[in-house]
Amino acid sequence: MASDQTLFHNSLLALYLIGPPTAVSLRFLQAPYGKHNRPGWGPTMSVPLAWFLMESPTLWLTLLLFPSGDNSSNYKSLLLISLFLLHYLNRTCLYPIRLLRSGTRRNSATGFPVVMALMAFVFNLLNSYLQTRSVSHYMDYDRDEWFWWRFFGGAVVFLLGMAVNIWSDGVLVKLKMAGGGYKVPTGGWFELVSCPNYLGEIAEWLGWAVMCGSWAGLGFFLYTCANLVPRARANHTWYLNKFGEDYPRDRKAVIPFLY
């Protein structure tokens, strides 16, 4: 339908346009939650609940839209969307449960600003629509001779990135459960970068972009970089200021040995 094509193309354009201002704004103003939590951003809510609600469109909207695509029964399309859903099953459901177990909900000082959760919710509406419609309707699988090469190469990067992301989140959650305030994370990828959780997620969506070979997939990867790289830099600076000489000076922010 022409109306859906127009919506898809306008949404895709929006995804590319919001990346640069996101990167610039995060260079000077950090999202006010977690380590950077501060007053002045309105009402807050439970952190686990915020994660569940703001990430939820990636599950319910994806499952709602996918069957309406022309390629919804294509096994290539099903493989791709399964990996997308796998990531967001962890992020939307399993990660909030781990936060609940860590006692995050009971610490009112780490409340999540409602306005930030709303912004993330809107982004996930946009991105879930784009990725789902691209995979289930607009990608041309029959003419794509390189699909399997891209899929297997991208899937390796995606799954390795997801493993790093989940492992890193686990380390940080365990530190919260131990109590006693913030500590220097150590071991594994934390010996190389301050934010291996962000590194893992960036790798995931790089793998996704390779697997899909679409403008939607590339746009999501670029936006992920625009969002997470400045936040990793801010976290790295926070660690350096917080722990001083006790923080490893050869540790980078998010890209091992480089940045």
Side-chain angles (χ1 to χ4, degrees):
M1 290 173 33
S3 58
D4 183 73
Q5 286 185 337
T6 300
L7 176 61
F8 182 82
H9 290 149
N10 289 341
S11 299
L12 185 60
L13 178 61
L15 179 63
Y16 277 87
L17 289 178
I18 63 177
T22 297
V24 172
S25 63
L26 288 175
R27 176 65 177 80
F28 301 100
L29 181 65
Q30 288 309 307
Y33 61 89
K35 298 177 182 64
H36 309 284
N37 185 59
R38 57 191 182 276
W41 287 80
T44 63
M45 61 191 300
S46 160
V47 176
L49 180 61
W51 276 104
F52 173 75
L53 293 177
M54 70 187 185
E55 300 288 335
S56 66
T58 60
L59 297 181
W60 60 259
L61 185 59
T62 299
L63 294 173
L64 183 67
L65 291 177
F66 188 83
S68 64
D70 287 349
N71 296 317
S72 61
S73 60
N74 188 308
Y75 62 94
K76 296 177 181 178
S77 175
L78 289 167
L79 281 172
L80 288 172
I81 209 64
S82 294
L83 290 175
F84 183 81
L85 289 170
L86 178 64
H87 168 86
Y88 282 109
L89 175 64
N90 172 66
R91 183 58 64 203
T92 307
C93 300
L94 302 182
Y95 180 64
I97 291 173
R98 295 166 85 180
L99 290 178
L100 277 173
R101 293 178 58 195
S102 75
T104 299
R105 179 182 60 176
R106 296 188 294 272
N107 186 353
S108 60
T110 59
F112 202 106
V114 173
V115 65
M116 298 301 300
L118 182 60
M119 292 171 63
F121 181 85
V122 171
F123 172 79
N124 282 318
L125 284 176
L126 169 70
N127 190 54
S128 298
Y129 165 77
L130 278 171
Q131 305 308 320
T132 304
R133 289 299 286 168
S134 176
V135 167
S136 70
H137 191 72
Y138 288 109
M139 288 176 58
D140 188 353
Y141 297 101
D142 293 334
R143 298 181 183 180
D144 189 353
E145 298 178 355
W146 293 93
F147 176 83
W148 290 115
W149 289 99
R150 289 201 327 274
F151 176 80
F152 286 117
V156 169
V157 176
F158 181 93
L159 293 173
L160 287 175
M162 187 172 182
V164 171
N165 179 257
I166 293 174
W167 173 83
S168 305
D169 282 343
V171 171
L172 296 174
V173 168
K174 286 179 180 177
L175 288 177
K176 288 183 180 181
M177 294 177 69
Y182 284 104
K183 302 179 181 67
V184 177
T186 58
W189 287 91
F190 280 105
E191 299 301 321
L192 298 176
V193 294
S194 295
C195 300
N197 50 335
Y198 292 167
L199 170 64
E201 189 150 352
I202 290 170
E204 282 185 78
W205 301 122
L206 171 60
W208 174 258
V210 171
M211 284 189 289
C212 293
S214 67
W215 288 109
L218 176 62
F220 186 20
F221 166 67
L222 293 176
Y223 181 82
T224 299
C225 293
N227 184 32
L228 296 187
V229 171
R231 287 167 57 188
R233 180 181 182 276
N235 285 351
H236 183 67
T237 301
W238 183 92
Y239 277 121
L240 289 171
N241 293 335
K242 173 75 172 177
F243 297 104
E245 294 299 324
D246 294 329
Y247 197 75
R249 291 291 161 171
D250 57 347
R251 189 178 295 186
K252 299 299 184 180
V254 65
I255 303 174
F257 311 113
L258 296 177
Y259 183 81

